[in-house]
Every structure is written in C-alpha cells, then in structure tokens.
Amino acid sequence: MLLKNYKTILLKELFALYDEQEIDSFFYIILEKLHGLKRIDLALNPEAVMDGTHVKQWKSILSDLKIQKPIQYILGETEFYGLRFEVNENTLIPRPETEELVEIIINNEGKGKREEGKVRILDIGTGSGCIAISLAANIPNAEVFAIDVSDKALVIAQKNADINAVKVNFVNVDILKINDLKQLPTHACLPAGSNFKLPTCFDIIVSNPPYVRNLEKAEIKRNVLEYEPHLALFVEDTDALLFYRKIAELAKKNLSLNGKLYFEINQYLGKETVELFESFGFKNVKLIKDIYENDRIVFAEKL
C-alpha cells in the first residue's frame, strides 16, 4: 500500500470523531514515528510504500484512535518545549499552556541571567517531568528538584531526564502530608542511589497542580476523561484551591527572600487564586493570560 493512501483511510475512518486538521496531524505524527519521514519527505517521494508489518502497525493505531485514546499514549511519547518526553497513563500529556508557563520562567530567570551561583528550583507535582526537565535544560546553573505523589509517574520522569541528558532530583512525597520541607516524612522516597537532601530553601517554586473541579467534567473531552490520570487533574468542588493553599503555606517557609512562585491555574478561578496568594503576604501577584486569552498563570514574589 502507498503511504499517502493511508491518509485517506484515516480521514474516512475518523471523520466522525476528529476534525480534518487533527486527523492530518495524526497522519504526519505517525508517519514520522513509524517511518522516520516528515511531510516534505513524502512530498518528494509520493510513491513510498509500507510493508506488511507497517500495515499492521497503522491498523493498530487506527483502532486506538477510534476509541479516542490520545495519540501521545498510543505512541508512548510527545514533544514539549522542543524536547522529547515519554508519557503513559500515569502521567498527564504536556500541553501548550504549560509550555507558556515554562517560557515565562525561562525568559525571566534563564538565558544567562544567573551567571553566578545556583538557582534552586522546585517543581511540585512534576508528572512526566516536563516542567522540571525543560527548566533544567534551559536555565544556566539551575539545580532542579521535583516532587510527585505518584511513584509510577516518577519512573517516567526519571526516564525523561535521562533521555534529555539533564539532572533533576526526584522525590516521591505527598505535599498534603507535610508542613515543611526541612525534614521529609518517613513515607518520602528518593530514587535508588540518591545522595542528595532536599534543600530547605528555593529560589523558584513552580507547579501545575490538579485544578479541574468535578463540576467541570462535562467540559472535558473523552480522550482526557477516560485516559489521563484523574489524580493529576481533579479537585473537589468544595476546595478547588487546596493545592495552591498548601503550596503557599510551604512557600512561606521554604521560598527564599525575593524568591518567585509560578503556577498554572484554573482559568475560571484567576481572581480567587490571586487573592489567595495575596492573603499569604506574597507581593507583585500577577494574573497572566495564555494565547487563548484565558487566565492561565499566576506569578508572585516573596519580598
């Protein structure tokens, strides 16, 4: 079968579930993953064919797409901030909004701005490690630590750090069960062979914690609701800012003077999130919109 013909098959089989642009994107993502070919390669060689093994692979991927399994989980990887990341059902799929968060931090804190000494960064709720690893790769002299409650997610995060040749110090701990980073509780786990202690003071704390309320589940697409980890997505309607409040408490004790906080937030709770951090005494609290004009990021300082 000609490779280019499978694009027509995808369009025919998936048009009821996805728009044409998304199906087109699927085709070229799969093309590169299975055949190592980009759009231009196929244009230059329109008679390229697939063998029997590849036909089976394409059919298997098509079957998964029909049940709306995310393409990133089907292929086991995605790209984030120009880096490659493995993902699976234990990690959220990194999103463009989170890239915007990373971009803001790098523009403010990286690109040669820290010429002397270390800048200590803590990523809370790291998941696949996309934030921590991207910051480690792009901020000179960064010493990056990352926490997650899921040990299975941290296995993937460590793989991703290795793939991208950066060092991130991962810790398995539930932040809701600690009151200070000075002493890790007995249930906290460090990777085998680790010889570091979690610092008690950080220059930057960043987090993309669970923030989707249960009442918003009706807005969530099936491919997210049925496949991505609810532990990393949802909070109770009655306490939607639970993680932000807890991180604010920790930051009062464990963020350095002039230290900075960066958060991805629920677009419907921007005002409430800003007021929360102001109530804890943080200064210069700013609400930042994403490229879709949604309230998406909160910045604050400890002065």
Side-chain angles (χ1 to χ4, degrees):
M1 177 184 292
L2 293 179
L3 268 171
K4 65 180 182 181
N5 290 347
Y6 217 86
K7 185 176 179 182
T8 304
I9 294 174
L10 288 184
L11 285 167
K12 179 182 178 181
E13 296 289 336
L14 300 174
F15 78 95
L17 298 172
Y18 308 93
D19 61 44
E20 185 172 346
Q21 185 177 3
E22 194 167 11
I23 297 170
D24 187 70
S25 173
F26 291 158
F27 176 76
Y28 288 106
I29 290 171
I30 301 165
L31 182 71
E32 184 167 2
K33 174 68 174 180
L34 297 188
H35 304 273
L37 300 175
K38 296 184 180 296
R39 185 187 297 258
I40 185 63
D41 299 316
L42 191 59
L44 293 173
N45 184 18
E47 301 306 308
V49 299
M50 63 173 83
D51 60 25
T53 299
H54 284 137
V55 170
K56 289 180 181 179
Q57 290 174 318
W58 278 87
K59 287 182 176 180
S60 175
I61 292 171
L62 176 57
S63 295
D64 283 338
L65 288 172
K66 283 183 175 180
I67 59 173
Q68 297 189 50
K69 185 174 183 178
I71 188 70
Q72 297 89 342
Y73 288 162
I74 296 171
L75 301 181
E77 65 180 35
T78 191
E79 184 177 296
F80 180 88
Y81 210 74
L83 303 173
R84 186 173 75 85
F85 288 86
E86 288 191 9
V87 290
N88 65 18
E89 67 280 358
N90 298 302
T91 65
L92 288 180
I93 297 167
R95 288 172 168 78
E97 301 94 308
T98 310
E99 285 188 304
E100 291 187 60
L101 173 66
V102 167
E103 177 76 8
I104 288 171
I105 299 173
I106 291 171
N107 285 339
N108 288 349
E109 312 293 341
K111 297 184 178 178
K113 293 185 178 181
R114 297 272 185 166
E115 295 180 356
E116 296 181 2
K118 295 285 187 182
V119 52
R120 286 181 167 174
I121 301 173
L122 177 64
D123 175 25
I124 296 178
T126 196
S128 67
C130 63
I131 294 176
I133 290 165
S134 298
L135 296 179
N138 287 279
I139 297 181
N141 303 322
E143 187 177 14
V144 184
F145 298 81
I147 287 174
D148 203 282
V149 67
S150 169
D151 56 344
K152 292 180 180 179
L154 289 178
V155 170
I156 298 299
Q158 183 61 65
K159 284 185 180 180
N160 288 328
D162 295 339
I163 288 169
N164 292 290
V166 299
K167 181 180 179 182
V168 176
N169 303 291
F170 294 106
V171 182
N172 178 207
V173 66
D174 183 348
I175 66 160
L176 297 179
K177 295 182 179 179
I178 61 175
N179 296 314
D180 199 316
L181 297 175
K182 290 181 179 179
Q183 184 174 5
L184 290 178
T186 55
H187 62 266
C189 297
L190 302 177
S194 298
N195 58 1
F196 72 89
K197 291 184 178 180
L198 194 68
T200 59
C201 198
F202 294 90
D203 302 298
I204 297 169
I205 294 178
V206 57
S207 184
N208 177 20
Y211 60 65
V212 181
R213 293 171 292 183
N214 287 313
L215 63 86
E216 293 160 7
K217 282 184 177 180
E219 301 178 22
I220 304 298
K221 291 182 178 180
R222 177 185 169 188
N223 61 341
V224 175
L225 196 59
E226 294 189 7
Y227 292 99
E228 298 199 49
H230 286 204
L231 180 67
L233 281 171
F234 295 107
V235 288
E236 295 298 326
D237 299 342
T238 55
D239 197 5
L241 299 181
L242 168 67
F243 287 93
Y244 298 94
R245 185 171 61 253
K246 185 63 182 185
I247 295 170
E249 293 172 358
L250 293 173
K252 290 290 288 185
K253 300 175 182 178
N254 301 117
L255 188 66
S256 63
L257 288 177
N258 301 314
K260 298 176 177 65
L261 294 170
Y262 294 90
F263 294 95
E264 185 173 326
I265 68 163
N266 186 318
Q267 64 180 351
Y268 303 119
L269 299 173
K271 179 175 178 289
E272 292 83 350
T273 309
V274 166
E275 290 175 350
L276 183 149
F277 285 101
E278 288 177 337
S279 73
F280 274 88
F282 293 101
K283 306 299 182 183
N284 296 330
V285 184
K286 297 177 182 177
L287 183 60
I288 302 169
K289 294 184 181 296
D290 62 21
I291 59 173
Y292 305 108
E293 290 299 309
N294 295 317
D295 292 337
R296 186 60 64 192
I297 294 167
V298 164
F299 164 83
E301 293 182 283
K302 182 180 178 181
L303 301 177

